[in-house]
Every structure is written in C-alpha cells, then in structure tokens.
Amino acid sequence: MLQTPRLVLEPLAEHHADVMFAVLSDPTIYEHLDYEAPPSLEHLQGVYRKLAVGHSPDGEEGWLNWIVMHPASGPIGVVQSTVMPAHHAAWVAYVLAQPHRGFGFAEEAAAAMVDHLI
C-alpha cells in the first residue's frame, strides 16, 4: 500500500473490480484513450485477476497496479506501471474518474507510484 497526503493506493486485486466497474464505466474517461470501458463486471474481474499476478506470462514485464482511494470518496481511479527490467524502462499510466479531475489527484498518485518504482 502507498500513501500520499490525500490518497491511499491499494495494490490491485480481483475484488476491486466490484467497486471499480462503476468508476470505469464513465465514457468521459476514454475520450483520449485507445480503449473503451470494460464491457462487463465479469470482464473486469478477469482483467484484474490477470494483472494481480504481477508479471507477464513470459516474466519479461512486471505489472504494478494500484487502485486510487480518496478517504471521503472511495475509489477514484487507477495508476499502473509496466516495468521492463531488461530495458531499464517502465511505462506509467493513470485513469481518474471525471469528478476527481482538476484537483491534482492524478499527479499525486502518479508521483507516489514513480517514487515507489525508483
């Protein structure tokens, strides 16, 4: 678990799909992304089950994913990193629910994740 002054980042687990499905069903999240909202709760559970393993099947990539929790609002998004040790590189990403944008939460959560990666 990672903590910031305003947020708690919980390591992603399959059980988070129940609370995250509603958050991730908002179509405004996907305006600038190359994928769409999860089509069903069962689909999201499968995705989270796969990601919670923590690495790709071939072991070439590490998968680090956190649910971003706000104490007053509950889950507000996700931050994630795909780590490629052989290349000394990592991809980082975040998705934040529309009502929680513009308050610096994405920057705060992503910074905590990057600090953890370093």
Side-chain angles (χ1 to χ4, degrees):
M1 188 165 341
L2 305 176
Q3 288 191 267
T4 73
R6 301 181 296 167
L7 304 169
V8 174
L9 281 63
E10 293 183 13
L12 179 135
E14 183 179 349
H15 70 84
H16 287 116
D18 293 341
V19 295
M20 288 304 297
F21 184 70
V23 173
L24 296 176
S25 292
D26 176 1
T28 65
I29 290 175
Y30 304 93
E31 290 176 22
H32 303 288
L33 298 176
D34 62 355
Y35 57 94
E36 297 179 355
S40 68
L41 174 58
E42 293 76 20
H43 174 82
L44 188 59
Q45 288 169 331
V47 169
Y48 282 11
R49 186 172 32 257
K50 176 183 169 185
L51 292 175
V53 170
H55 56 82
S56 62
D58 63 7
E60 295 289 318
E61 297 177 347
W63 298 335
L64 303 171
N65 297 272
W66 292 268
I67 303 300
V68 180
M69 304 290 285
H70 185 275
S73 304
I76 63 170
V78 296
V79 291
Q80 57 194 49
S81 179
T82 300
V83 180
M84 297 153 289
H87 301 284
H88 303 287
W91 293 92
V92 297
Y94 64 88
V95 174
L96 202 63
Q98 176 64 29
H100 304 285
R101 295 183 196 162
F103 300 101
F105 295 137
E107 180 180 357
E108 189 173 323
M113 177 181 58
V114 169
D115 286 346
H116 176 74
L117 292 172
I118 291 170

